[in-house]
């Protein structure tokens, strides 16, 4: 699968450009570049580095003044606390993580299953008032989620979706479907309709033609789109904190936020939990990075 | 194998564009039928309607004896080659060829046999294990043709299959397609906007304009007697000279003194235009017999021939095709005379052939 996927999105022109661009400057310039980029990287990454440090420091070292950069005792206790409750058994945070995985995964899958065929239909068929429909779909993303959180809250309370994972899944899917349709429509437009025409002449129905020929060519696009949707659902905070309250339902963002606010804040635990929370998305994005680039350079693909 | 019968085809796209106004075609069994016309005249739309990829607004399509209006493309048993070859990018040549056969559910041995046969016909042997992106344009083209062949369909539909190739390869492929069609004897509808392709390939040619058929005929008929002013101006390179004429003393006379042999049964009292091929005119020494005084405006040297633009009687320019041995300098005073038989004559107001 991966092979065909790469071929479908041949990034030839971009690849050609890089070496010559590098050759342009001399060695002097590249040294300057490296220095500047390093400074920039340090500034940008400092909070992250500090978070990593905090997560492996003893709590007394966290509060030490002057701050200890290097000479502190390394401990993994905070990470243990993330997963294991003080009295043994599962911690509330680990339940929240599982909830996050479930909610983000299912809502993304739902948005993809609904959005991809819709995008295909909008790309291939003449639909009445297609532009207006697409604009309407996009317009649902114009407002920030917080604007609708109160009406959704009231609605959910009426229909019994409040404080349920299903409620979160539905609302996240609803937010991701428009995005999926728009992004995927671009990808579908790039796949020549002739593949389906040829397949239909070869004896397949339209649905089979879509399923067997267009869909495999869309996989990189689907991967890119799904990652964006997944990141949205994974990171979402506003709906999560308004619509859920019990520990068994809560996703990770509100659960981590809940750690801050007592009389003393266990910063080591906050940092460790945040790290664990950030890691899956980073890994996932890294695995599909090629396809993410394909998503960003949409339209640069040559027929 | 089967003929194709298109009756009163009309296609209006949902956005209101009328792509095909009214098309009647009667394509014989085993015929290589070419549809020729300028861009946007509805060739592709007509072809896609025959294939079943587009549903016509009104009109009937028959393949063989079957009315196929409501049949999906898969059940029409035809193969189509697209301008963009549409080879499945994730499949090797071998599998691209086998695909339509596997769709039919043929046994493995038979699939193998037919793929080998098509590969031999199109000389694809060394390319069988490559994917499309590692094939040149011409090779992709041959694979696309082979994929149409393996199915042994009742008819081939070709939509400008050679447009993406360079001139030399195009000429080769043209010969190849013609040969293959003759060999297999399968009905073929071939769409192009290249008149050389149309002339050299077609048993018959249909000239389309603005969603209507202007003329249907053999290449010779279409060349000798274009059915309308549009066809007259479209076919031939350079195209016919359209010369305004009057009937006087049993001759066709144009202002400027040029005299043409008249065809029989000329209508009277109408404004007429004669279509004179560049090779039916001759540039002579000034004052030669039956010639009118003229002046060379420009000369285009094409190697095997020279196209002279000649002005006679002031502001009336015609193009004349001459062998490269006859040379006149630009601006030289010359004579001009008509050497061919009776030219086709058109009515200026209806734009149709009248005699
Ligand atoms: N899907 C469509 N929706 C609306 N209009 C269309 C559609 N497809 C084609 N048309 C229009 O219909 C007319 C005929 O198109 P068609 O593709 O049949 O022309 P063609 O003769 O094949 O031209 P070309 O030589 O450029 O391929 C054109 O004006 C075109 O813009
Ligand atoms: Mg066309």
């Amino acid at each position: 699968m991966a092979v065909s996927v790469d071929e479908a999105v041949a990034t030839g022109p971009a690849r050609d450009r890089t070496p010559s661009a590098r050759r342009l400057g001399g060695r002097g310039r590249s040294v300057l570049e490296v220095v500047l980029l390093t400074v920039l990287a340090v500034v940008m990454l400092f909070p992250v580095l500090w978070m990593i440090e905090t997560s492996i420091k003893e709590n007394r070292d966290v509060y030490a003044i002057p701050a200890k950069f290097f000479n502190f005792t390394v401990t993994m206790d905070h990470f243990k606390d993330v997963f294991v409750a003080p009295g043994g058994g599962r911690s509330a945070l680990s339940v929240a993580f599982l909830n996050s995985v479930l909610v983000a995964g299912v809502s993304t899958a739902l948005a993809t299953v609904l959005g991809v065929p819709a995008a295909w239909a909008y790309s291939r068929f003449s639909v009445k008032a297609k532009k207006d429909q697409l604009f309407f779909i996009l317009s649902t993303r114009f407002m920030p989620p917080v604007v609708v959180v109160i009406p959704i809250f009231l609605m959910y309370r009426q229909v019994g979706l409040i404080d349920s994972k299903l409620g979160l899944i539905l609302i996240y899917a609803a937010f991701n479907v428009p995005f999926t349709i728009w992004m995927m429509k671009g990808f579908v437009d790039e796949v020549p309709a002739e593949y389906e025409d040829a397949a239909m002449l070869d004896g397949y129905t339209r649905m089979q033609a879509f399923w067997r020929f267009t869909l495999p060519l869309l996989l990189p696009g689907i991967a890119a789109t799904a990652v964006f949707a997944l990141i949205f659902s994974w990171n979402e905070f506003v709906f999560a904190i308004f619509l859920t309250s019990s520990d068994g339902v809560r996703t990770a963002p509100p659960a981590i936020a809940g750690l801050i606010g007592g009389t003393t804040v266990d910063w080591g635990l906050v940092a460790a939990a945040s790290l664990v929370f950030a890691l899956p998305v980073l890994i996932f994005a890294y695995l599909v990075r090629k396809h993410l680039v394909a998503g960003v350079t949409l339209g640069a693909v040559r027929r | 194998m089967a003929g194709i019968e298109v009756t009163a085809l009309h296609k209006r796209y949902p956005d209101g564009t009328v792509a095909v106004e009214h098309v009647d075609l009667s394509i014989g069994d085993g015929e290589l039928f070419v549809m020729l016309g300028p861009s946007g005249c509805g060739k592709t739309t007509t072809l896609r309607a025959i294939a079943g990829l587009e549903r016509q607004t009104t009109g009937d399509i028959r393949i063989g004896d079957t009315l196929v209006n409501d049949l999906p493309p898969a059940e029409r048993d035809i193969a189509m080659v697209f301008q963009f070859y549409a080879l499945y990018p994730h499949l090797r040549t071998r599998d691209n060829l086998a695909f339509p056969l596997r769709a039919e559910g043929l046994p493995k041995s038979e699939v193998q046999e037919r793929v080998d046969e098509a590969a031999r016909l199109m000389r694809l042997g060394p390319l069988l294990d490559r994917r499309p992106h590692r094939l040149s344009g011409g090779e992709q083209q041959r694979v696309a043709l082979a994929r149409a062949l393996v199915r042994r369909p009742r008819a081939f539909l070709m939509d400008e299959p050679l447009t993406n190739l360079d001139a030399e390869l195009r000429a080769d492929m043209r010969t190849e397609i013609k040969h293959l069609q003759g060999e297999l004897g399968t009905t073929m509808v071939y769409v192009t906007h290249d008149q050389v392709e149309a002339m050299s390939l077609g048993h018959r040619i249909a000239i389309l304009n603005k969603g209507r058929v202007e003329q249907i005929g053999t290449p010779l008929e279409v060349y000798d007697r274009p059915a309308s002013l549009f066809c007259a101006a479209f076919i031939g390179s350079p195209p016919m000279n359209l010369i305004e004429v009057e009937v006087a003393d049993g001759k066709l006379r144009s202002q400027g003194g040029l005299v043409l042999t008249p065809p029989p049964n000329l209508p009277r009292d109408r404004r007429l235009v004669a279509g004179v091929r560049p090779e039916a005119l001759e540039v002579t020494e000034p004052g030669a017999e039956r010639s009118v005084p003229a002046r060379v405006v420009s000369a285009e040297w094409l190697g095997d021939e020279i196209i002279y633009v000649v002005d006679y009687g002031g502001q009336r320019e015609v193009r004349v095709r001459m062998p490269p041995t006859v040379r006149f300098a630009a601006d030289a005073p010359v004579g001009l005379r008509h050497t061919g038989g009776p030219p086709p004559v058109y009515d200026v107001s209806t734009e149709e052939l009248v005699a």
Side-chain angles (χ1 to χ4, degrees):
Chain A
M1 180 191 94
V3 180
S4 70
V5 148
D6 297 345
E7 283 161 8
V9 189
T11 49
R15 213 180 287 143
D16 293 344
R17 207 157 42 234
T18 356
S20 61
R22 271 211 196 116
R23 244 178 274 123
L24 253 168
R27 179 161 298 156
R29 183 174 145 185
S30 71
V31 168
L32 190 68
E33 263 175 16
V34 169
V35 170
L36 279 176
L37 286 174
T38 312
V39 170
L40 197 67
V42 167
V43 172
M44 300 290 279
L45 291 177
F46 180 75
V48 180
L49 290 174
W50 195 245
M51 183 168 83
I52 295 173
E53 275 208 1
T54 306
S55 71
I56 52 174
K57 275 180 188 170
E58 301 273 2
N59 268 345
R60 56 184 151 74
D61 289 337
V62 169
Y63 289 102
I65 297 176
K68 292 182 170 175
F69 278 99
F70 302 109
N71 48 344
F72 56 84
T73 355
V74 174
T75 169
M76 287 293 144
D77 285 352
H78 300 308
F79 285 98
K80 196 185 120 213
D81 290 345
V82 169
F83 294 104
V84 184
R90 258 210 220 143
S91 70
L93 267 176
S94 73
V95 174
F97 276 125
L98 278 182
N99 289 341
S100 265
V101 170
L102 185 80
V103 167
V106 175
S107 67
T108 300
L110 197 60
T112 305
V113 166
L114 291 175
V116 171
W120 174 68
Y122 276 117
S123 171
R124 289 290 188 260
F125 300 106
S126 44
V127 181
K128 247 193 199 138
K130 186 193 278 188
K131 284 208 177 117
D132 302 319
Q133 287 192 27
L134 283 169
F135 180 78
F136 171 76
I137 289 169
L138 186 66
S139 71
T140 59
R141 290 299 296 260
F142 286 174
M143 63 204 163
V146 71
V147 173
V148 287
V149 77
I150 302 299
I152 297 273
F153 178 85
L154 296 174
M155 223 162 79
Y156 269 29
R157 207 173 50 187
Q158 284 296 318
V159 297
L161 282 172
I162 208 80
D163 198 21
S164 75
K165 282 176 245 179
L166 179 64
L168 277 187
I169 288 171
L170 288 179
I171 194 75
Y172 289 171
F175 265 83
N176 276 328
V177 164
F179 166 76
T180 305
I181 291 179
W182 266 84
M183 188 148 161
M184 283 313 299
K185 182 172 176 295
F187 282 105
V188 181
D189 287 344
E190 290 289 321
V191 176
E194 278 96 336
Y195 288 130
E196 283 163 46
D197 292 343
M200 283 196 289
L201 284 164
D202 281 351
Y204 295 92
T205 65
R206 197 176 256 290
M207 279 318 291
Q208 285 171 326
F210 166 68
W211 188 254
R212 304 195 55 160
F213 299 101
T214 307
L215 201 60
L217 297 177
L218 288 178
L219 282 178
I222 293 177
T225 311
V227 168
F228 282 121
L230 193 72
I231 291 173
F232 168 83
S233 306
W234 185 257
N235 291 344
E236 209 287 329
F237 179 73
V238 175
F239 284 117
I241 198 148
F242 274 92
L243 301 181
T244 62
S245 49
S246 58
D247 281 348
V249 175
R250 225 163 221 201
T251 53
I256 293 172
L259 296 175
I260 309 168
T263 42
T264 59
V265 180
D266 186 349
W267 285 114
L269 182 62
V270 173
S274 304
L275 264 184
V276 172
F277 176 72
L279 221 51
V281 170
L282 282 179
I283 292 174
F284 203 58
Y286 180 78
L287 288 178
V288 298
R289 65 195 178 284
K290 231 189 262 170
H291 303 158
L292 280 181
V293 173
V296 176
T297 57
L298 190 67
V301 180
R302 191 170 46 96
R303 256 176 87 139
Chain B
M1 273 168 266
I4 297 170
E5 212 58 55
V6 175
T7 326
L9 188 75
H10 179 82
K11 172 68 187 181
R12 205 185 123 115
Y13 282 107
D15 67 355
T17 318
V18 175
V20 178
E21 194 62 58
H22 182 103
V23 167
D24 289 305
L25 300 173
S26 176
I27 300 163
D29 191 359
E31 185 173 24
L32 205 174
F33 189 87
V34 175
M35 284 199 276
L36 175 67
S39 194
C41 70
K43 306 181 295 287
T44 298
T45 306
T46 307
L47 204 67
R48 288 174 62 86
I50 295 174
L53 295 171
E54 212 77 67
R55 175 74 160 111
Q56 67 268 31
T57 314
T58 56
D60 286 335
I61 296 170
R62 281 188 177 73
I63 300 176
D65 304 325
T66 333
L67 185 69
V68 296
N69 289 356
D70 298 315
L71 288 187
E75 287 170 35
R76 298 192 181 195
D77 194 14
I78 43 188
M80 186 157 169
V81 175
F82 300 85
Q83 177 180 342
F84 160 77
Y85 312 127
L87 298 174
Y88 306 127
H90 55 298
L91 297 182
R92 283 185 293 235
T93 299
R94 185 188 303 285
D95 297 313
N96 257 296
L97 296 186
F99 222 93
L101 301 176
R102 294 198 186 126
E104 277 177 41
L106 289 181
K108 253 200 177 126
S109 56
E110 165 124 33
V111 171
Q112 183 68 41
E113 206 171 288
R114 289 227 217 154
V115 167
D116 287 344
E117 185 198 336
R120 187 173 44 74
L121 269 174
M122 296 312 298
R123 301 191 308 279
L124 295 176
L127 311 177
L128 278 177
D129 287 314
R130 295 207 200 154
R131 293 225 175 92
H133 71 107
R134 288 191 45 220
L135 299 173
S136 73
E139 289 165 347
Q140 288 190 28
Q141 223 297 329
R142 291 202 334 253
V143 177
L145 278 174
R147 193 177 67 178
L149 291 181
V150 281
R151 288 245 323 276
R152 297 183 188 154
R154 293 204 290 175
F156 294 123
L157 307 180
M158 309 255 170
D159 191 0
E160 312 202 20
L162 305 184
T163 308
N164 292 343
L165 303 182
D166 59 47
E168 196 182 339
L169 205 54
R170 209 184 297 179
D172 288 349
M173 287 305 299
R174 210 159 62 206
T175 322
E176 198 141 346
I177 289 176
K178 193 176 171 87
H179 174 75
L180 207 68
Q181 196 273 341
E183 194 103 312
L184 298 170
T186 309
T187 313
M188 182 183 285
V189 186
Y190 190 104
V191 162
T192 180
H193 62 245
D194 178 346
Q195 46 168 310
V196 180
E197 215 164 279
M199 287 292 184
S200 63
L201 273 178
H203 297 157
R204 282 193 304 155
I205 299 173
I207 297 174
L208 267 68
N209 182 32
K210 295 187 185 148
R212 290 179 186 279
V213 180
E214 294 264 343
Q215 181 172 15
I216 297 181
T218 64
L220 213 64
E221 283 167 3
V222 166
Y223 190 78
D224 281 347
R225 291 182 63 76
S228 64
L229 281 181
F230 172 81
C231 298
F234 189 71
I235 298 284
S237 163
M240 278 183 165
N241 297 296
L242 298 174
I243 301 173
E244 279 204 45
V245 289
E246 283 172 349
V247 188
D249 318 331
K251 294 268 186 206
L252 282 177
R253 292 174 191 281
S254 92
Q255 283 183 356
L258 195 66
V259 178
L260 312 170
T261 327
N265 309 325
L266 267 184
R268 311 223 153 245
D269 310 327
R270 289 208 235 166
R271 289 186 58 207
L272 300 175
V273 167
V276 184
R277 288 272 170 223
E279 55 270 27
L281 291 171
E282 194 180 5
V283 183
T284 65
E285 296 295 334
E289 195 190 342
R290 290 191 296 115
S291 73
V292 294
R295 186 177 60 87
V296 173
V297 176
S298 66
E300 209 177 312
W301 306 67
L302 300 177
D304 56 344
E305 62 185 28
I306 303 176
I307 307 294
Y308 285 104
V309 178
V310 172
D311 179 4
Y312 69 98
Q315 299 311 307
R316 263 177 286 274
E317 292 187 354
V318 290
R319 277 157 213 280
V320 184
R321 174 173 284 141
M322 296 294 287
T325 46
V326 186
R327 298 200 175 170
F328 296 96
D331 246 359
V334 292
L336 175 72
R337 74 179 165 212
H338 183 234
T339 57
V345 177
Y346 303 89
D347 185 322
V348 172
S349 51
T350 65
E351 303 200 347
E352 301 209 338
L353 186 72
V354 288

